[in-house]
């Protein structure tokens, strides 16, 4: 009699679960029940007596997934799962090293360093080596160490190729010695030390090979090189590795994920046939057909085709907006409509490629009083880098702001320690003055006095340099002059923070454009732009925050959405340079990962899917005209229903001109060509087609008559100037 937990499995799922004791690769498409297959496989192996609960090892990528796996197993079998080896790579390696600390050369109570602990060690080492932290940023030293550990390299194995890498190897070597002296390990060390332990200790390696006859791995497409080598070492030639993954959902190359491990597994463990789970239990057919068509443009894939018995469903809705503000407005109106039809906000997600995109969406939701949550991150005005920049602005606007002073006095670090700050605070308390006044009094001595004086000069210089400048230029100057921009350039994942800081400039420009249209209260003095903007930021940072458990719209990046599903999904910002991102679309590998990211976005939706884009978008404080994402061309037209915005009145730039702001302003594309002949058929923002360069958008125009020319942003050719007389352009 078959175990009860096999009931309801489809044919490929049942085949995967009941495979003989052999290595296997299960190619599990989105929504195909991979977690069920993995946990049911474990239950089946135990139920049929092929292995005891303590004779198998299962690896996941998050603690949450590990807990869910154990919960599912205990619901299928009456066993105690507490002692089972189910967990993340780091968690399992930590467990192994705790049990064999002596053999691994570690104290019994070894400490695990977090990122901040590691950074502190690297900074001390670099200081002792007299390295200039501008030439050799400590964070880059941290990445250098982690990157080499994840490749399985100790300092002696690292080949230096220039002066920078020579110094980094020395830092790595000293860091390695320091950690050994202190009996401490970092996260990358857990895996590397565990790998070395198994490599160098034959008895221990054989012990674990004899114990773990079955090794099961979830999200196999996300494994890196060292993780794969660790699994190889643990399995040997006799044990079975049951790997479940989806190469089409591999979106973490920037973290070291190596999709080639799936091919390596087939070769190294002699897997002749890959079992494909292609029946999707999540989405309607139109959504899956779009995802299949899109991902089929990737050349380096194992290949599968998702299908469903749930019916075709609705076409994908594509909306072309004139501006990013209009795009956000459309999303809000559609969300309101869905809500009025009875759909809960928690069943709706708005996805975007870059964190900085959330700001315009948040502003529209705030104005519409729609509750929302930013999943896996913070609201725009609550993000660390934004709060730092706002604190500089607050102190520039009001020197008596003690909260702003405390936040930025030593950020980025400028050698002002806790003791020096205590002294400044004591002066403030004893004299009944603000911290700024106490810092200006500066009765400290030595290095502390010089550091405090340097901070005071910095703020005063910013205040002088920005006097009379338009608000966007003030913010741009503060981001640069404060050192925030340079600081985040040295962070491994600082690109996101830099994009957010650039978006703060855009937020200021948009705020002024909206402010021009708002009526003034009679008899009430109008605050200056900076004060008004700071008040606006404060209001949007905390008000209308959805409380825990409340029904709220979900906002998130596509990366954060992996593993989640929703009734309705909006994918916003579908433009070339944004999605696919301009930093990734220039190389085949990068473009294929962007396409996998889009595949993930599409397959989050169960019933309804929207894709939106804007002809013009304010990015980094400048308006740019956009070409629709190439991904639209990779989805069959019959699967989509396209609509576009009706023409709307233009915003006037007079407010900016009156304040001396000469940069780009958030206005809609003009419908006249200025100094081009008024009778010309070509308009800025117009979509066009060229016989050689393909489709594009006119972004600039100049000259008249025979000298008239236009600049076109081509989807595949970038920006090009064309003389109208010889352009061979045609309307799209």
């Amino acid at each position: 009699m078959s175990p009860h937990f096999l009931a309801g499995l489809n044919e490929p799922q049942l085949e995967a679960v009941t495979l003989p004791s052999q290595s296997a690769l299960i190619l599990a498409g989105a929504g195909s029940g991979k977690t069920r297959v993995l946990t049911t496989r474990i239950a089946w192996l135990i139920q049929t007596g092929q292995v005891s609960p303590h004779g198998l090892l299962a690896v996941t990528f998050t603690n949450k997934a590990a807990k869910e796996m154990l919960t599912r197993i205990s619901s299928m079998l009456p066993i105690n799962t507490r002692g089972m080896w189910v967990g993340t790579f780091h968690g399992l390696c930590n467990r192994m090293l705790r049990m064999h600390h002596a053999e691994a050369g570690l104290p019994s109570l070894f400490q695990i360093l977090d990122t901040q602990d590691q950074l502190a060690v690297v900074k001390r080492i670099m200081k002792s080596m007299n390295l200039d932290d501008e030439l050799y940023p400590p964070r880059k030293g941290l990445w250098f160490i982690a990157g080499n550990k994840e490749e399985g390299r100790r300092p002696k194995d690292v080949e230096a190729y220039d002066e920078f890498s020579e110094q980094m190897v020395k830092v790595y070597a000293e860091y390695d010695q320091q950690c050994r002296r202190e009996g401490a390990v970092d996260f990358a060390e857990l895996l590397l030390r565990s790998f070395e332990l198994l490599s160098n200790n034959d008895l221990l390696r054989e012990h674990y090979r004899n114990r773990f006859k079955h090794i099961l791995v979830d999200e196999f497409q996300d494994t890196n090189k060292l993780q794969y080598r660790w699994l190889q070492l643990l399995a040997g030639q006799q044990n079975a590795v049951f790997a479940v993954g989806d190469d089409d959902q591999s979106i973490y190359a920037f973290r070291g994920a190596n999709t080639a491990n799936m091919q390596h597994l087939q070769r190294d463990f002699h897997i002749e046939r890959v079992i494909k789970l292609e029946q999707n239990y999540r989405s309607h057919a139109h959504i899956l057909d779009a995802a299949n068509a899109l991902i089929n443009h990737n050349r380096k894939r194992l290949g599968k085709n998702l299908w469903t018995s749930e019916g075709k469903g609705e076409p994908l809705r594509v909306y072309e907006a004139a501006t990013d503000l209009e795009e956000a407005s459309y999303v809000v109106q559609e969300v309101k409509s869905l809500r009025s039809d009875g759909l809960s906000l928690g069943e709706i997600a708005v996805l975007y490629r870059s964190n900085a995109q959330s700001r315009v969406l948040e502003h529209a939701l705030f104005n519409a009083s729609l509750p929302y949550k930013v999943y896996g991150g913070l609201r725009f005005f609550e993000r660390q880098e934004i709060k730092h920049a706002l604190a500089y602005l607050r102190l520039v606007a009001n020197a008596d702001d003690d909260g702003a002073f405390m936040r930025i006095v030593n950020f980025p670090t400028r050698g002002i320690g806790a003791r020096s700050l205590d002294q400044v605070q004591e002066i403030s308390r004893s004299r009944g003055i603000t911290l700024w006044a106490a810092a200006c009094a500066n009765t400290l001595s030595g290095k502390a006095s010089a550091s405090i004086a340097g901070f005071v000069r910095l703020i005063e210089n910013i205040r002088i340099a920005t006097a009379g400048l338009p608000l966007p230029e003030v913010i741009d100057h503060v981001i640069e002059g404060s050192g925030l921009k340079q600081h985040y350039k040295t962070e491994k994942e600082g690109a996101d923070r830099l994009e957010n800081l650039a978006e703060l400039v855009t937020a200021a420009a948009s705020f002024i454009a909206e402010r021009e249209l708002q009526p003034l209260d009679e008899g009430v003095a109008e605050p200056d732009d900076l004060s008004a903007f700071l008040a606006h930021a404060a209001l949007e940072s905390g008000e209308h925050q959805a409380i825990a458990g409340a029904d709220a719209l979900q906002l998130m990046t596509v990366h954060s959405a992996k593993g989640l599903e929703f009734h309705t999904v909006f994918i916003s910002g579908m433009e070339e340079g944004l999605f696919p991102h301009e930093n990734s679309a220039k190389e085949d590998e990068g473009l294929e990962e962007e396409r996998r990211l889009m595949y993930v976005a599409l397959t989050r939706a169960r019933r309804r899917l929207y894709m939106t884009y804007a002809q013009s978008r304010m990015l980094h404080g400048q308006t740019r005209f956009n070409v629709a994402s190439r991904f639209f061309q990779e989805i069959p037209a019959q699967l989509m229903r396209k609509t576009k915005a009706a023409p709307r009145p233009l915003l006037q730039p007079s407010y900016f001109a009156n304040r001396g702001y000469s940069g780009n302003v958030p206005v809609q594309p003009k419908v006249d060509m200025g100094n081009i002949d008024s009778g010309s058929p070509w308009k800025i923002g117009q979509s066009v087609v060229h016989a050689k360069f393909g489709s594009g958008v006119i972004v600039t125009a100049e000259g008249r008559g025979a000298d008239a020319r236009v600049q076109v942003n081509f989807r595949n050719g970038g920006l090009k100037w064309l003389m109208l007389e010889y352009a061979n352009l045609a309307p799209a």
Side-chain angles (χ1 to χ4, degrees):
M1 182 177 177
S2 297
H4 67 91
F5 49 74
L6 296 183
L9 294 176
N10 64 37
E11 189 175 330
Q13 288 175 335
L14 184 62
E15 181 186 1
V17 167
T18 58
L19 277 172
S21 183
Q22 64 188 50
S23 292
L25 176 60
I26 314 302
L27 196 60
S32 63
K34 72 175 180 63
T35 304
R36 183 184 182 189
V37 166
L38 197 61
T39 52
T40 307
R41 170 71 172 175
I42 293 172
W44 186 77
L45 288 171
I46 296 171
Q47 176 77 9
T48 55
Q50 296 184 60
V51 69
S52 72
H54 304 294
L56 58 79
L57 178 143
V59 189
T60 67
F61 268 81
T62 66
N63 290 316
K64 180 182 177 182
K67 289 177 183 177
E68 182 184 351
M69 191 177 292
L70 290 169
T71 300
R72 290 200 187 193
I73 293 168
S74 61
S75 71
M76 287 186 275
L77 295 174
I79 61 172
N80 184 356
T81 60
R82 187 173 179 181
M84 292 180 67
W85 280 59
V86 177
T88 64
F89 278 101
H90 291 124
L92 294 172
C93 288
N94 176 54
R95 186 171 178 177
M96 184 178 289
L97 292 174
R98 296 286 177 190
M99 295 176 67
H100 307 288
H101 61 87
E103 293 92 332
L106 291 167
S108 58
L109 299 176
F110 65 83
Q111 298 298 307
I112 299 176
L113 304 176
D114 63 21
T115 304
Q116 292 304 313
D117 295 330
Q118 291 175 260
L119 187 59
V121 174
V122 170
K123 283 181 177 178
R124 289 199 301 271
I125 290 170
M126 287 186 163
K127 187 175 181 180
S128 70
M129 294 172 62
N130 294 317
L131 292 179
D132 185 336
D133 59 8
E134 290 197 5
L135 293 175
Y136 303 96
R139 287 187 182 276
K140 287 194 175 181
L142 203 63
W143 310 335
F144 184 88
I145 292 167
N148 279 289
K149 284 189 177 186
E150 288 170 1
E151 291 286 332
R153 293 191 290 261
R154 289 294 182 190
K156 61 180 177 59
D157 306 316
V158 182
E159 185 177 343
Y161 49 86
D162 58 17
E163 186 177 346
F164 180 84
S165 58
E166 283 179 13
Q167 293 295 346
M168 289 296 103
V169 171
K170 293 176 183 176
V171 170
Y172 181 14
E174 185 54 43
Y175 174 87
D176 203 34
Q177 289 301 314
Q178 181 74 19
C179 288
R180 290 178 188 274
R181 285 194 296 269
E182 295 179 4
V185 299
D186 55 41
F187 285 106
E189 182 73 17
L190 287 170
L191 187 61
L192 180 55
R193 187 71 68 100
S194 178
F195 174 78
E196 291 173 342
L197 174 66
L198 293 173
S199 297
N200 301 329
N201 192 312
D202 296 345
L203 288 175
L204 205 58
R205 184 173 64 252
E206 289 308 310
H207 163 75
Y208 280 108
R209 283 181 177 177
N210 289 330
R211 176 175 178 175
F212 297 132
K213 293 297 186 183
H214 289 270
I215 299 171
L216 302 97
V217 189
D218 193 12
E219 304 286 6
F220 192 76
Q221 76 279 353
D222 293 334
T223 55
N224 64 29
K225 289 181 180 179
L226 186 58
Q227 288 165 345
Y228 180 74
R229 290 172 63 194
W230 184 80
L231 290 167
Q232 266 189 301
L233 200 57
L234 202 56
Q237 294 297 315
Q238 305 302 318
N239 297 334
V241 174
F242 185 89
V244 181
D246 183 3
D247 58 331
D248 290 334
Q249 294 190 75
S250 180
I251 58 174
Y252 297 118
F254 64 96
R255 294 181 187 169
N258 183 20
T259 54
N261 285 345
M262 301 184 90
Q263 284 86 359
H264 297 333
L265 184 79
Q266 293 179 74
R267 179 196 66 205
D268 297 336
F269 289 86
H270 312 294
I271 297 171
E272 295 181 1
R273 190 174 77 84
V274 174
I275 296 177
K276 298 179 181 181
L277 306 183
E278 297 175 299
Q279 183 174 359
N280 178 283
Y281 293 93
R282 176 186 301 161
S283 308
H284 275 156
H286 277 329
I287 295 170
L288 299 181
D289 291 345
N292 288 331
L294 174 97
I295 202 63
N296 201 42
H297 285 78
N298 274 5
R299 292 174 297 176
K300 299 178 182 178
R301 58 189 297 260
L302 296 174
K304 65 182 182 311
N305 204 57
L306 295 178
W307 64 275
T308 183
S309 59
E310 295 292 306
K312 289 190 177 298
E314 302 176 1
L316 283 60
R317 303 180 183 213
V318 177
Y319 182 76
E320 176 188 345
T323 68
D324 51 345
L325 300 176
E326 192 173 70
E327 178 191 38
S329 176
Y330 170 78
V331 171
V332 166
Q333 293 307 313
E334 288 297 308
V335 169
K336 282 184 174 181
S337 177
L338 290 164
R339 190 188 199 185
S340 66
D341 288 343
L343 186 63
S344 68
L345 291 177
E347 278 292 317
I348 308 171
V350 182
L351 310 184
Y352 36 80
R353 175 64 180 84
S354 166
N355 260 314
Q357 289 172 250
S358 79
R359 202 271 312 165
V360 174
L361 292 163
E362 288 184 57
H363 181 60
L365 292 166
F366 174 84
N367 287 340
S369 298
L370 277 174
Y372 68 91
K373 290 181 180 177
V374 179
Y375 182 91
L378 296 170
R379 290 174 167 229
F380 182 79
F381 284 109
E382 293 172 351
R383 291 167 189 163
Q384 178 205 82
E385 61 277 14
I386 299 302
K387 291 182 80 69
H388 284 322
L390 291 174
Y392 274 100
L393 291 165
R394 283 162 51 196
L395 200 60
V396 167
N398 175 19
D400 296 335
D401 191 330
D402 283 356
F405 180 95
M406 287 299 294
R407 185 176 189 93
I408 60 173
V409 65
N410 197 41
F411 191 91
T413 54
R414 49 180 61 90
I416 301 174
R419 186 175 177 183
S420 299
L421 276 178
D422 286 343
Q423 290 176 286
V424 172
Q425 288 175 295
E426 179 54 37
I427 295 170
S428 171
R429 282 192 297 269
S430 63
R431 298 189 186 182
I433 58 178
T434 64
L435 292 174
W436 175 260
C440 290
N442 195 359
T443 59
L444 282 66
S445 59
K447 184 180 178 183
S449 174
S451 297
I452 291 290
F455 175 67
V456 169
R457 282 195 304 274
L458 174 68
I459 299 301
E460 286 294 353
N461 288 339
I462 290 175
R463 189 175 287 131
I464 293 168
T466 57
L469 289 179
L471 179 61
E473 293 184 26
V474 171
I475 295 176
D476 198 39
H477 185 94
V478 164
I479 291 169
E480 188 77 47
S482 65
L484 288 175
K485 188 173 184 179
Q486 185 58 39
H487 171 79
Y488 289 119
K489 276 184 178 178
T490 65
E491 281 197 349
K492 186 175 185 179
E493 296 181 17
D496 239 13
R497 297 192 188 276
L498 289 171
E499 283 190 1
N500 288 335
L501 287 172
E503 183 61 21
L504 187 61
V505 180
T506 297
S510 297
F511 171 76
I512 291 177
E514 290 186 7
R515 195 178 185 212
E516 179 191 10
L517 302 177
Q518 295 171 355
L520 294 176
D521 294 326
E522 289 187 17
V524 178
E526 183 183 15
D528 63 89
D529 287 345
L530 178 54
S531 298
F533 180 69
L534 290 171
H536 159 78
L539 285 171
E540 287 208 8
S541 66
E543 296 294 320
H544 298 271
Q545 173 70 33
I547 60 174
D551 186 34
L553 182 70
Q554 307 295 303
L555 267 60
M556 66 192 76
T557 63
V558 183
H559 279 100
S560 297
K562 187 172 180 292
L564 304 176
E565 60 180 77
F566 303 91
H567 177 281
T568 298
V569 169
F570 291 81
I571 309 174
S572 62
M574 291 282 297
E575 298 135 30
E576 282 295 302
L578 201 54
F579 199 6
H581 198 280
E582 58 192 353
N583 292 342
S584 304
K586 296 172 184 175
E587 299 175 356
D588 288 344
E589 288 289 337
L591 180 57
E592 293 216 346
E593 175 130 346
E594 288 291 299
R595 196 173 281 115
R596 291 195 292 269
L597 199 55
M598 181 61 185
Y599 177 84
V600 167
L602 291 169
T603 54
R604 297 312 93 197
R606 293 198 299 269
R607 294 295 177 263
R608 183 174 289 187
L609 182 67
Y610 293 82
M611 296 181 287
T612 65
Y613 66 101
Q615 293 175 348
S616 68
R617 182 178 299 275
M618 281 281 286
L619 282 175
H620 310 165
Q622 295 185 334
T623 301
R624 76 178 191 187
F625 296 92
N626 308 305
V627 182
S629 172
R630 71 186 71 191
F631 294 151
F632 286 120
Q633 295 184 331
E634 297 176 356
I635 297 173
Q638 64 269 24
L639 298 177
M640 299 182 286
R641 190 174 74 203
K642 299 181 179 181
T643 57
K644 62 166 54 180
R648 299 179 64 180
L650 302 180
L651 297 177
Q652 299 303 318
S654 58
Y655 187 87
F656 297 88
N658 293 340
R659 285 160 174 75
Y661 182 57
S662 58
N664 289 306
V665 295
V667 296
Q668 293 184 13
K670 294 181 179 179
V671 295
D672 65 278
M673 294 293 283
N675 56 348
I676 292 284
D677 293 336
S678 58
S680 172
W682 308 113
K683 315 295 182 187
I684 293 176
Q686 181 177 0
S687 296
V688 294
V689 177
H690 188 275
K692 180 178 179 182
F693 304 121
S695 59
V697 172
I698 297 175
V699 298
T700 314
E702 63 183 32
R704 62 172 61 243
D707 295 326
R709 65 175 189 161
V710 292
Q711 188 181 41
V712 182
N713 184 8
F714 287 105
R715 176 179 283 108
N716 297 319
L719 289 170
K720 296 188 184 298
W721 280 102
L722 300 172
M723 298 301 294
L724 280 177
E725 190 173 352
Y726 310 104
N728 292 321
L729 285 176

